[in-house]
Amino acid sequence: MKKIVLSLFVLFCMVPVFADSAPITEEEAMQVEEFFDSYVESANNYRDDLTEKYADNAVIKRIVIKKDGSKQDVTIPIQRYFKELKSGQKTARLVRYKNRYINKKYSKISNGEYKITTTRIPFRDKTGLRAEFKIIETPDGLKISEELMETNVQRFLKEK
């Protein structure tokens, strides 16, 4: 009886308590990392395939850090986001705007759903800002289903 109780205890302790703490296999982590690296490569090189890395109904969120230090959440419709990406590409390319991502952590939310937590270091930034991506498996491969980034760009507050 003690062996059964001990086995159940060990099994229970291995079950994740939080949804985003499900065990991720090394293979899954590598696939998510490869996908994320391809996303960063496309974004930093202004490639047209960047929009293909998002799910059709992806949610884009910005947490605007106001000048007084307070924060405000802004959700941007995906089609508007794509339009802004396209219109800002020329200027971004001229100034060679790029983001770097450090301290990346990959976790599994559920089967076919993953989370990347990272620090985004925008162009000419020294400290970095929080960023999170939810990635889902689709028939067309991995896609971003939710993107959340902190930003100091105040214009997002006016363009809801």
Side-chain angles (χ1 to χ4, degrees):
M1 182 69 175
K2 284 184 180 181
K3 285 184 181 180
I4 294 172
V5 170
L6 182 58
S7 296
L8 289 172
F9 176 75
V10 170
L11 182 63
F12 177 74
C13 289
M14 293 177 67
V15 175
V17 176
F18 301 105
D20 65 356
S21 64
I24 186 168
T25 67
E26 187 175 331
E27 183 180 337
E28 289 171 318
M30 285 176 45
Q31 289 173 341
V32 172
E33 183 174 34
E34 285 174 13
F35 170 78
F36 188 67
D37 288 348
S38 75
Y39 158 81
V40 173
E41 179 74 17
S42 291
N44 284 342
N45 291 292
Y46 320 104
R47 294 200 178 121
D48 291 335
D49 73 341
L50 181 62
T51 57
E52 296 168 17
K53 307 227 183 261
Y54 291 88
D56 292 338
N57 57 348
V59 175
I60 307 298
K61 294 181 181 179
R62 295 294 178 261
I63 303 193
V64 180
I65 304 171
K66 297 180 184 182
K67 290 177 173 87
D68 66 4
S70 64
K71 296 179 180 182
Q72 183 174 345
D73 294 0
V74 178
T75 300
I76 304 163
I78 190 71
Q79 292 308 318
R80 184 180 125 211
Y81 181 66
F82 289 163
K83 186 178 174 183
E84 287 183 20
L85 277 176
K86 195 152 190 82
S87 68
Q89 258 184 345
K90 194 175 195 177
T91 303
R93 187 174 290 154
L94 285 172
V95 299
R96 296 187 176 147
Y97 183 94
K98 295 186 185 314
N99 285 303
R100 286 188 310 119
Y101 296 89
I102 61 170
N103 304 324
K104 295 176 274 197
K105 292 181 179 74
Y106 305 97
S107 58
K108 184 173 182 175
I109 298 171
S110 64
N111 283 338
E113 190 174 10
Y114 307 93
K115 182 178 180 181
I116 303 167
T117 304
T118 184
T119 301
R120 177 177 70 96
I121 302 178
F123 182 66
R124 295 186 181 151
D125 187 277
K126 302 286 188 250
T127 59
L129 299 161
R130 182 173 63 106
E132 292 180 3
F133 299 82
K134 286 188 182 171
I135 311 297
I136 57 170
E137 288 181 13
T138 73
D140 297 323
L142 295 176
K143 303 279 184 177
I144 297 169
S145 65
E146 187 172 325
E147 177 182 285
L148 178 144
M149 290 185 188
E150 288 183 335
T151 183
N152 295 315
V153 179
Q154 301 293 308
R155 72 177 172 82
F156 287 114
L157 296 177
K158 300 174 191 148
E159 298 179 5
K160 275 188 172 182

